[in-house]
Amino acid sequence: KASKEVKEKFKNLKKLNKEQLLAVEHEDGPLLVVAGAGTGKTTVLINRLAYLVLEKGVKTDEIFLATFTEKAASEMIERADKILPYGYVELWINTFHSFGEKILRESGLEIGLSPDFKLLDETAQWVFVKKNFKEFNLDYYAPAGNPNKFIKELLKHFSRLKDENITPDEYSDYCSKLSDDDKDEAEILENKKLRELSQAFSVYNKLLLENDYLDFAYLINYTIKLLKTRPNILKKYQEKFKYLMLDEFQDTNFSQYELIKILAGDKANLMVVGDDDQSI
């Protein structure tokens, strides 16, 4: 049961039902909260944030709350401001992309990234690929006529690879092991297609880095790379974030979940909230 002192500190606890209160008061270790639309998932997250700060004495910048849209993050920050007493600052309520950007601008130099990198949105990516189209040296996928639609589909393929945290080197390594021996024409063409896609992915990545560009998906991939290859940086952020919370868990892709697991570490003080009815 919630202590009398906590209820006096923030009255919102009185409005929570039994299940919501159990989630809010959960402290150490992993917790999965499954709830449908309109059942107060965001209320639980914000109240737990306040509970950890006001009752347990956790600093606001020691809690990372991840969500999926800038609109959702802004709404959570607004609600947190209302429930926390005046003077609490440095809330880490971010989308995965804004979190990755913040980390890479601060520590990306550790893996050779310029802290002044420019972010490319979907339109800028398309323009960038079209401008450098000859660099891709395509044969199997050489577009007939106008390449505009083709570029969009190529970028979709790259995006899917990044969502699965597949690096250009991993893709190339996989394709280098493909053999055309004892294969029929269809299988040989399929191998050619994959090799060409792998080469295009490598070229795209190389061009971005040469121009100090990143796209939004790479914000997550390079944050993962930073934390995996620089244990000193990983230790810094694992010690910093004592508690992690994740909204809309059913929407996470492999890369996003990988990032959260790395940050959670062995302590695994991670609470995720999701709706299984909305899961694909």
Side-chain angles (χ1 to χ4, degrees):
K1 294 181 179 180
S3 67
K4 182 179 178 181
E5 292 77 11
V6 176
K7 289 184 176 181
E8 289 175 353
K9 284 178 179 177
F10 56 116
K11 296 178 180 179
N12 283 26
L13 273 186
K14 296 179 180 179
K15 301 175 183 178
L16 301 179
N17 62 37
K18 179 181 177 181
E19 288 75 17
Q20 290 172 328
L21 191 57
L22 283 170
V24 166
E25 292 188 299
H26 176 79
E27 295 178 18
D28 297 335
L31 177 68
L32 168 64
V33 177
V34 181
T39 55
K41 294 192 293 293
T42 302
T43 297
V44 166
L45 289 169
I46 296 302
N47 276 272
R48 183 166 183 262
L49 171 67
Y51 176 81
L52 289 171
V53 172
L54 298 173
E55 171 66 3
K56 309 309 294 183
V58 182
K59 296 177 182 178
T60 51
D61 64 348
E62 294 176 335
I63 304 167
F64 173 41
L65 201 168
T67 188
F68 279 82
T69 67
E70 292 293 346
K71 181 181 178 182
S74 297
E75 289 174 352
M76 285 189 178
I77 291 171
E78 185 177 342
R79 291 177 67 170
D81 284 340
K82 290 178 180 178
I83 200 171
L84 290 170
Y86 180 76
Y88 283 95
V89 292
E90 292 191 84
L91 289 171
W92 283 74
I93 300 178
N94 302 95
T95 64
F96 281 102
H97 295 128
S98 62
F99 174 78
E101 181 179 3
K102 195 170 184 177
I103 298 301
L104 290 177
R105 292 205 185 278
E106 182 178 305
S107 304
L109 201 60
E110 300 278 343
I111 53 172
L113 293 179
S114 167
D116 300 319
F117 62 81
K118 180 180 177 182
L119 272 176
L120 301 183
D121 60 18
E122 289 185 7
T123 301
Q125 284 177 264
W126 184 89
V127 172
F128 180 72
V129 171
K130 185 176 183 181
K131 179 181 177 181
N132 295 278
F133 198 68
K134 290 183 180 179
E135 300 289 333
F136 289 86
N137 194 28
L138 300 173
D139 179 25
Y140 181 95
Y141 274 113
N146 193 328
N148 293 355
K149 185 175 181 180
F150 169 80
I151 292 174
K152 184 178 180 181
E153 295 304 314
L154 193 63
L155 288 169
K156 278 186 182 180
H157 182 66
F158 296 163
S159 179
R160 181 63 184 272
L161 290 165
K162 288 174 280 187
D163 285 349
E164 298 297 323
N165 199 32
I166 296 171
T167 68
D169 286 344
E170 288 171 336
Y171 201 1
S172 295
D173 183 59
Y174 171 79
C175 289
S176 69
K177 296 173 183 176
L178 296 174
S179 173
D180 292 337
D181 296 340
D182 301 319
K183 298 290 193 301
D184 59 28
E185 185 178 359
E187 292 172 313
I188 291 172
L189 278 175
E190 184 68 19
N191 287 347
K192 180 180 180 180
K193 178 180 75 172
L194 288 172
R195 292 187 189 105
E196 188 161 294
L197 285 170
S198 169
Q199 179 204 8
F201 190 40
S202 294
V203 169
Y204 174 71
N205 184 62
K206 179 173 176 288
L207 289 170
L208 286 180
L209 294 178
E210 286 177 350
N211 290 276
D212 287 334
Y213 289 156
L214 288 183
D215 61 31
F216 280 89
Y218 267 144
L219 291 173
I220 299 171
N221 296 148
Y222 279 114
T223 302
I224 292 172
K225 180 179 179 180
L226 170 68
L227 298 178
K228 280 188 170 182
T229 60
R230 297 292 182 264
N232 54 324
I233 303 298
L234 173 60
K235 182 180 179 182
K236 170 186 171 182
Y237 287 107
Q238 283 182 336
E239 289 179 348
K240 176 180 179 61
F241 297 121
K242 293 180 170 55
Y243 293 92
L244 299 100
M245 293 186 280
L246 171 58
D247 193 19
E248 305 293 357
F249 180 58
Q250 77 281 349
D251 291 336
T252 50
N253 60 40
F254 181 85
S255 293
Q256 291 162 341
Y257 188 38
E258 184 73 7
L259 175 56
I260 282 290
K261 286 193 294 183
I262 293 170
L263 285 170
D266 294 334
K267 291 183 296 185
N269 287 333
L270 169 65
M271 185 176 93
V272 300
V273 175
D275 181 356
D276 54 351
D277 287 336
Q278 296 183 44
S279 179
I280 300 175

